[in-house]
């Protein structure tokens, strides 16, 4: 079953910064709102089963991150996926779906990476009730983690750096010009659904959607616009101003 097929599902378009975000809602709007933010190379449909389970008790909101799914992409792409602009998008969605009450925020993978920004910048204070993070660190926290290990290297710390560096091989690849786009719009995009089914036991069906090749190509700019800059110059004020629940999947092969 796709997200649009769920009973009571409804969609709206939210304009922000020259783009349009595709926003889906389920459940009673009078209940507390939970906003689910997807990762890379996903679209909001990755949350379908979770949204179905939450909708009886929550006002559930999901949106396609800019350049993904049925949301439009910024032009030019370069500079269009910064954490600052992603924060603008979140605030636009939150103001549209829950103008008078703060929302509970849940992020996975790059949805969590950007949500750490939402939870630590001053302009979102009062708009977030809680933040649940899954498999996506704050780039600022990660940058400090790297700097601490490089400043005082020990065999254990060097091993941690090398181990995470090996798991992050795909990050380096996504910084390569043109090649990721060619791969996703070519053989990788065609094979990805079968790879998910085999490696992560994701059943074939409505996910991933047909927008996957473009989603993944656009999403490479999430890495290019943010990772190098934040890891080299992490914010010193990246303290959460909301309660945080951190979920760490111990079997995650990337983090």
């Amino acid at each position: 079953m796709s997200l649009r097929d769920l009973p009571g599902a409804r969609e709206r378009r939210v304009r922000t910064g020259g783009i349009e975000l595709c926003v889906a809602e389920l459940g009673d709007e009078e209940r507390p709102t939970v906003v689910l933010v997807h990762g890379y190379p996903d679209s909001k449909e990755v949350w379908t089963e979770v949204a179905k389970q939450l909708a009886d008790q929550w006002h559930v909101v999901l949106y396609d991150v800019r350049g993904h799914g049925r949301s439009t992409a910024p032009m030019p792409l370069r500079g269009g996926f910064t954490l600052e602009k992603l924060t603008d998008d979140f605030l636009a969605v939150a103001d549209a779906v829950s103008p008078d009450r703060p929302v509970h925020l849940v992020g996975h993978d790059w949805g969590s990476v950007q949500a750490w920004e939402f939870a630590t910048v001053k302009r979102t204070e009062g708009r977030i009730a809680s933040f649940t993070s899954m498999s996506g660190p704050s780039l600022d926290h990660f940058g400090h983690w790297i700097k601490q290990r490089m400043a005082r290297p020990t065999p254990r710390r060097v091993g941690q750096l090398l181990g995470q560096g090996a798991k992050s091989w795909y990050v380096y690849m996504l910084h390569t010009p043109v090649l990721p786009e060619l791969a996703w719009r070519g053989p990788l995009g065609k094979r990805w659904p079968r790879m998910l089914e085999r490696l992560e036991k994701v059943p074939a069906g409505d996910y991933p959607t047909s927008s996957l090749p473009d989603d993944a190509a656009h999403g490479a700019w999430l890495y290019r616009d943010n990772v190098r800059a934040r890891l080299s110059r992490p914010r010193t004020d990246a303290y959460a101003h909301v309660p945080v629940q951190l979920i760490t999947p111990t079997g995650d092969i990337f983090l």
Side-chain angles (χ1 to χ4, degrees):
M1 179 181 290
S2 69
L3 187 59
R4 282 184 286 179
D5 293 332
L6 293 180
R10 51 208 183 271
E11 285 190 353
R12 68 168 84 188
R13 310 291 292 186
V14 173
R15 293 191 61 83
T16 168
I19 65 165
E20 282 193 347
L21 300 174
C22 182
V23 181
E25 298 175 73
L26 295 93
D28 185 350
E29 294 181 7
E30 296 302 314
R31 293 182 180 272
T33 299
V34 56
V35 177
L36 307 175
V37 189
H38 68 81
Y40 176 86
D42 299 321
S43 62
K44 66 182 181 301
E45 274 71 24
V46 75
W47 290 112
T48 298
E49 292 301 317
V50 175
K52 184 166 62 174
Q53 294 185 50
L54 293 176
D56 286 343
Q57 300 181 53
W58 299 83
H59 172 215
V60 184
V61 176
L62 317 88
Y63 66 96
D64 288 319
V65 171
R66 54 172 53 209
H68 295 70
R70 296 168 59 223
S71 293
T72 59
M75 288 297 168
L77 294 174
R78 182 189 298 273
F81 291 83
T82 63
L83 289 171
E84 292 78 11
K85 291 179 179 178
L86 295 169
T87 304
D88 292 340
D89 294 351
F90 163 71
L91 285 172
V93 171
D95 288 346
V97 301
S98 185
D100 302 320
R101 291 186 295 178
V103 303
H104 295 275
L105 176 62
V106 181
H108 171 255
D109 186 74
W110 250 98
S112 176
V113 173
Q114 61 183 289
W116 274 109
E117 181 82 355
F118 310 160
T120 59
V121 293
K122 288 190 176 298
R123 62 192 175 113
T124 61
E125 288 189 19
R127 298 302 289 121
I128 303 172
S130 70
F131 169 38
T132 297
S133 167
M134 290 180 280
S135 291
S138 160
L139 292 181
D140 299 296
H141 299 171
F142 194 20
H144 288 298
W145 183 86
I146 292 172
K147 285 179 177 290
Q148 289 167 0
R149 278 148 186 78
M150 293 181 69
R152 295 183 178 179
T154 64
R156 180 173 180 271
R157 289 184 166 192
V158 171
Q160 289 175 332
L161 285 170
L162 293 175
Q164 183 57 58
K167 288 186 175 183
S168 299
W169 61 269
Y170 62 97
V171 177
Y172 316 128
M173 293 294 295
L174 286 167
H175 279 80
T176 305
V178 181
L179 291 180
E181 286 87 342
L182 290 175
W184 280 113
R185 290 189 169 118
L188 184 56
K190 294 176 181 177
R191 294 174 184 170
W192 190 250
R194 190 167 296 176
M195 291 169 63
L196 284 179
E197 187 176 6
R198 186 175 70 252
L199 297 177
E200 299 193 16
K201 307 298 185 286
V202 176
D206 297 306
Y207 182 82
T209 63
S210 60
S211 65
L212 169 70
D214 285 336
D215 297 347
H218 292 154
W221 287 100
L222 291 167
Y223 294 86
R224 295 166 181 167
D225 278 350
N226 297 292
V227 172
R228 190 175 300 164
R230 284 299 179 92
L231 293 188
S232 61
R233 295 184 300 278
R235 289 169 49 206
T236 58
D237 63 343
Y239 294 94
H241 51 69
V242 298
V244 176
Q245 174 176 232
L246 180 65
I247 298 176
T248 305
T250 56
D252 193 314
I253 63 172
F254 295 114
L255 290 168

